Amino acid sequence: MSRTSSTPSAAGPIRLGPRSRTVLRPAAAPTVTAGFWHDRRTVNAEACIPQGIELLESAGNLHNLRLVAGTRSGAFEGDYPFQDTDVYKWLEAASWQLGQDAAAGRDTTVLTAEVDRIIALVAAAQAEDGYLNTWFQSGKGEGRWSDLRWGHELYCAGHLIQAAVAHHRSTGRTELLAVAVKFADHIDAVFGPEGSGRPIDGFDAHPEVETALVELYRETGETRYLDLAGYFVDRHGHGVHGHEAYCQDRVPVREAQNVEGHAVRQLYLLAAVADLAAETGEPALAEAGARLWHAMAATKTHLTGGVGAHHDEEDFGDPYELPNERAYCETCAAIASIQFSWRMALLTGEARYSDLVERTLFNGFLAGMSLDGESWLYVNPLAVRDGYVGGGGDHSSRRTRWFRCACCPPNVMRLLASLEHYLASTDGSGIQLHQYATGRFQGEADGSPVVVSVDTEYPRTGRIAVTVEESPGTPWTLSLRLPQWCTEYTLVHADGTTVADVVGDDGWLRVAREWAVGDTIVFTLEQALRLVRADPRVDAVRGCVAIERGPLVYCLEQVDHPGGGLDDVVLDTGVPLVAKDRPDLLGGVVTVVGAGYRRSIPDVGWWPYRPEAIPDSPATGSALELTAVPYHAWANRATGSMRVWLPVT
Ligand code: FUB
Ligand code: ZN
């Protein structure tokens, strides 16, 4: 392969081809230039990505590559066979960042040099036959492909492939793509169904390579990669890994009725199911994706969009088993959910998938990263009790600078660095805005480009102005997702008159007309404060409410409620909640102020259970003003307790 290929495309993580059978395609050349997500992405670019590579150096990930490349002696550093993926995810994030920086005319010299340095290291570690995994190459484990249950070799390959695709798409350069292609060809020579002449008929218990192989097919046009992805997906559920749910092997995905087992594994697999449905057009795959997404959203998703109820085996748990303080909700699982939902949105055109993307982005995902981008949460509980002593360790409810198992931080980096590609789409006859951020998005109408710019302070306010920047002079449709949480909105022209020609009752508001350059419409989503209740089958939050505003879930933090903890706090729903703009707090948030009390429970002796209710009334408690902050901003001040779900009077 030559060092450079043609002009880099503006494609993101998903580039659909002419034969892809989806209702929607990602918008072309998207940008995010100001506002909420721009601020988070700036932290990502200026703090997370530069510091990330230093942390990978000190954690030993780069040492392991040098070890295998023969430029360093010593022993493998770290505890996991998948540590190479932290480097690959960082490379993916840095590559998306390079593409953005170049497009915006920013100086890319420093980041390019860093990326080149790491790519050279990865290439040097690759075996002659294409194999690459520093754990096994450095002599850990029983040897290549000996442990498909825990070895993570194909999982690592998947992240390498995704990094390589990102690098190629962003820079047009092929050094990393060449490494990925060589490994993919090696995998293709090793894995295949019985009778195919390949030595191993099996699959990696941690999916990831499947969705990556589909993207490699899209990038290279090589159908062997698509076939290999299909083979891996369908090999699940036939007992290669003892029919274990943890390994995504209990039932074939086409027969599965609910998501189960390890949440990240399940959702990366389902992302691949959606990818394959897009490329093959096979209805059974699309149906499985839709069925399992519905079951997940309806029965196994926390209010924050977080998934994975169990610490044990990082497992989804049972329907409606959605605990608070013991919620696992791994940051990676939120990312995997977003990846799966976005693929389903493209496949079907249905707004509900982007509703869940929005909820997960603003809450379960974003809480994983601190405001300064310097510390992280691996698990994202919905409560931390008074007197919590679980500090320290990867699965703590306290932020940590880095983890022994550091899968989440670079995963956040790559999603933030490519986020503009998850916001808008085209169906060939206009443009659909799925998420609201200030920027520019290009769709298509009958082969001609249509471009809109968006100007918004969302979610601080609900005002979203959309201006047509380019229009072919023939009718096309501008579609705005009406968020599932929104019950009142207005849609007006720049002069304040109501947009009358709007249709839609399926989560999309569509305005079809001959748009002129400069036309502006203003979509305002009422940001009323809401108290929400859970399905009665969610035992963990019975008798409680949660506060929401726009797409944001709120929580109480102990630091705002001196004089005691939060376990005894009760919200008085009879007193209206008030939103307060607080530019001075947590980088600028809208807080929600309410009234309540702190229980004063009489001494019940040594046994806290009895036939009659233990007295608990406002009269015996002490009045308290409650201040709720957006959940995504929690754990950025003094440590203490936190809760999303609040008992009510
Ligand atoms: O197994 C690799 C990664 O480590 C998983 O995706 C995470 O859940 C963590 O277990
Ligand atoms: Zn993770």
Side-chain angles (χ1 to χ4, degrees):
M1 267 183 195
S2 67
R3 189 167 177 279
T4 58
S5 66
S6 53
T7 324
S9 79
I14 301 171
R15 177 157 65 190
L16 299 166
R19 287 191 297 279
S20 307
R21 284 169 256 191
T22 58
V23 174
L24 309 177
R25 287 157 189 267
T31 59
V32 174
T33 50
F36 185 90
W37 287 114
H38 177 71
D39 293 349
R40 305 315 301 144
R41 281 153 58 86
T42 302
V43 171
N44 192 40
E46 294 179 357
C48 304
I49 293 177
Q51 291 174 21
I53 198 63
E54 290 168 18
L55 289 158
L56 289 171
E57 183 68 87
S58 48
N61 304 60
L62 302 182
H63 160 88
N64 295 335
L65 287 161
R66 292 188 192 106
L67 193 64
V68 170
T71 57
R72 175 78 61 88
S73 56
F76 184 91
E77 286 182 11
D79 303 313
Y80 299 104
F82 50 85
Q83 284 176 203
D84 297 347
T85 55
D86 303 338
V87 179
Y88 301 151
K89 287 182 211 171
W90 181 88
L91 273 174
E92 185 183 336
S95 297
W96 295 129
Q97 191 60 45
L98 275 179
Q100 268 178 59
D101 288 350
R106 290 188 286 266
D107 183 4
T108 61
T109 321
V110 173
L111 189 56
T112 299
E114 277 297 80
V115 166
D116 286 356
R117 180 172 73 90
I118 307 304
I119 290 176
L121 206 49
V122 171
Q126 185 167 38
E128 202 46 49
D129 63 1
Y131 180 88
L132 181 48
N133 182 291
T134 61
W135 173 270
F136 288 97
Q137 284 170 290
S138 62
K140 305 280 278 187
E142 298 295 315
R144 289 183 186 191
W145 314 122
S146 60
D147 184 5
L148 294 179
R149 186 182 188 282
W150 184 241
H152 285 81
E153 289 146 292
L154 293 175
Y155 168 77
C156 290
H159 279 296
L160 168 65
I161 291 168
Q162 289 180 332
V165 167
H167 188 249
H168 186 237
R169 284 184 188 161
S170 291
T171 67
R173 289 174 48 180
T174 56
E175 296 94 326
L176 193 59
L177 189 64
V179 174
V181 161
K182 197 170 166 188
F183 197 6
D185 288 343
H186 176 70
I187 293 165
D188 189 38
V190 171
F191 286 88
E194 214 181 317
S196 66
R198 270 85 157 182
I200 305 178
D201 180 14
F203 66 91
D204 193 313
H206 198 315
E208 168 64 15
V209 75
E210 299 80 356
T211 183
L213 282 167
V214 175
E215 213 54 47
L216 189 61
Y217 152 73
R218 290 173 178 155
E219 195 64 5
T220 62
E222 176 53 75
T223 53
R224 280 185 299 117
Y225 304 141
L226 182 65
D227 295 343
L228 190 56
Y231 156 73
F232 281 138
V233 166
D234 280 325
R235 199 68 189 85
H236 286 255
H238 298 284
V240 168
H241 296 291
H243 287 288
E244 277 184 58
Y246 177 75
C247 301
Q248 300 303 317
D249 193 32
R250 198 181 64 80
V251 285
V253 70
R254 291 156 195 270
E255 295 166 24
Q257 297 301 316
N258 206 331
V259 290
E260 64 182 25
H262 185 282
V264 182
R265 293 171 189 236
Q266 170 73 91
L267 293 172
Y268 283 167
L269 178 62
L270 290 175
V273 166
D275 283 330
L276 282 167
E279 295 308 325
T280 64
E282 206 193 321
L285 286 171
E287 283 159 21
R291 179 175 69 245
L292 292 168
W293 184 92
H294 178 92
M296 172 181 78
T299 71
K300 297 195 180 185
T301 301
H302 285 81
L303 186 67
T304 54
V307 287
H310 286 186
H311 278 241
D312 187 28
E313 297 209 325
E314 309 183 298
D315 184 283
F316 260 107
D318 296 328
Y320 307 107
E321 183 195 4
L322 297 164
N324 292 310
E325 62 272 50
R326 290 297 290 165
Y328 194 65
C329 294
E330 182 183 344
T331 304
C332 283
I335 293 166
S337 167
I338 290 164
Q339 292 179 346
F340 172 40
S341 292
W342 178 233
R343 283 164 172 77
M344 290 305 296
L346 296 173
L347 187 66
T348 64
E350 292 174 23
R352 61 186 172 139
Y353 297 111
S354 294
D355 281 326
L356 186 58
V357 168
E358 176 177 68
R359 178 170 290 274
T360 310
L361 272 175
F362 277 111
N363 303 289
F365 160 71
L366 194 55
M369 177 176 128
S370 66
L371 289 175
D372 62 8
E374 300 204 355
S375 60
W376 307 89
L377 285 170
Y378 185 126
V379 303
N380 294 278
L382 280 79
V384 177
R385 286 197 170 271
D386 300 336
Y388 171 75
V389 289
D394 286 3
H395 302 166
S396 154
S397 296
R398 303 281 184 235
R399 292 197 186 280
T400 307
R401 179 75 172 120
W402 204 244
F403 304 111
R404 263 177 69 217
C405 171
C407 49
C408 301
N411 218 358
V412 172
M413 293 177 207
R414 71 180 183 135
L415 178 56
L416 279 178
S418 56
L419 190 67
E420 70 272 34
H421 298 284
Y422 292 77
L423 308 183
S425 67
T426 181
D427 59 358
S429 57
I431 189 156
Q432 300 81 41
L433 298 180
H434 297 247
Q435 311 296 340
Y436 299 110
T438 296
R440 212 166 182 271
F441 306 92
Q442 180 177 320
E444 191 187 308
D446 298 326
S448 301
V450 295
V451 178
V452 298
S453 62
V454 176
D455 185 16
T456 182
E457 288 184 51
Y458 190 77
R460 193 179 76 79
T461 77
R463 184 182 187 278
I464 301 150
V466 184
T467 300
V468 175
E469 302 280 343
E470 211 174 314
S471 181
T474 48
W476 55 273
T477 305
L478 172 60
S479 303
L480 305 166
R481 183 178 60 86
L482 177 63
Q484 160 259 4
W485 54 261
C486 181
T487 49
E488 282 185 45
Y489 68 89
T490 57
L491 188 58
V492 299
H493 295 107
D495 64 4
T497 55
T498 299
V499 174
D501 53 340
V502 56
V503 291
D505 53 9
D506 58 353
W508 287 111
L509 300 179
R510 300 182 180 85
V511 186
R513 60 168 78 154
E514 205 171 297
W515 294 93
V517 171
D519 282 354
T520 295
I521 56 172
V522 179
F523 186 34
T524 303
L525 304 167
E526 181 58 53
Q527 300 283 74
L529 297 171
R530 309 185 297 280
L531 289 180
V532 298
R533 291 173 172 77
D535 184 295
R537 288 165 284 192
V538 185
D539 298 85
V541 300
R542 195 166 294 132
C544 293
V545 298
I547 300 169
E548 295 186 336
R549 178 179 181 271
L552 303 183
V553 173
Y554 277 71
C555 66
L556 301 186
E557 283 198 277
Q558 190 172 1
V559 66
D560 296 310
H561 303 89
L566 297 181
D567 287 359
D568 286 326
V569 165
V570 178
L571 174 71
D572 183 347
T573 52
V575 179
L577 298 171
V578 178
K580 285 198 175 161
D581 211 351
R582 291 287 306 275
D584 56 311
L585 187 68
L586 293 166
V589 293
V590 175
T591 62
V592 178
V593 177
Y597 68 98
R598 223 179 224 127
R599 291 173 177 134
S600 174
I601 296 179
D603 183 4
V604 292
W606 67 272
W607 190 237
Y609 307 98
R610 56 192 59 201
E612 72 280 10
I614 292 171
D616 165 28
S617 82
T620 59
S622 47
L624 187 66
E625 181 178 272
L626 303 182
T627 298
V629 297
Y631 173 77
H632 68 72
W634 88 278
N636 281 286
R637 296 174 289 167
T639 52
S641 42
M642 177 276 288
R643 61 172 51 226
V644 168
W645 290 100
L646 309 173
V648 292
T649 43

Coordinates of all heavy atoms in Angstrom, one line a residue, residues 330-332 378 407-408 411, ligand 2:
E330 N -21.5 0.4 33.3 CA -20.1 0.7 32.8 C -20.1 1.7 31.7 O -21.0 1.7 30.8 CB -19.4 -0.6 32.3 CG -18.0 -0.4 31.9 CD -17.3 -1.6 31.2 OE1 -17.8 -2.7 31.4 OE2 -16.3 -1.4 30.6
T331 N -19.2 2.6 31.8 CA -19.1 3.7 30.8 C -19.0 3.1 29.4 O -19.7 3.6 28.4 CB -17.9 4.6 31.1 OG1 -18.1 5.1 32.4 CG2 -17.9 5.8 30.1
C332 N -18.2 2.0 29.2 CA -18.1 1.4 27.9 C -19.5 0.8 27.5 O -19.7 0.8 26.3 CB -17.1 0.2 28.0 SG -15.4 0.6 27.9
Y378 N -15.7 4.3 36.0 CA -15.8 3.1 35.2 C -17.3 2.6 35.4 O -18.0 2.3 34.4 CB -14.9 2.0 35.7 CG -14.7 0.7 35.1 CD1 -13.5 0.2 34.6 CD2 -15.8 -0.1 34.9 CE1 -13.3 -1.0 34.0 CE2 -15.7 -1.4 34.3 CZ -14.4 -1.8 33.9 OH -14.3 -3.0 33.3
C407 N -10.4 0.3 30.1 CA -11.1 0.2 28.8 C -12.0 1.5 28.6 O -12.2 1.9 27.5 CB -12.1 -1.0 28.8 SG -13.0 -1.2 30.3
C408 N -12.5 2.1 29.7 CA -13.4 3.2 29.5 C -12.8 4.5 29.0 O -13.4 5.1 28.1 CB -14.2 3.4 30.8 SG -15.1 2.0 31.4
N411 N -12.2 4.9 25.4 CA -13.5 4.7 24.7 C -14.3 6.0 24.7 O -14.9 6.3 23.7 CB -14.3 3.6 25.4 CG -15.0 2.6 24.4 OD1 -14.9 2.8 23.2 ND2 -15.7 1.6 24.9
Ligands
ZN2 ZN -15.0 0.1 30.1

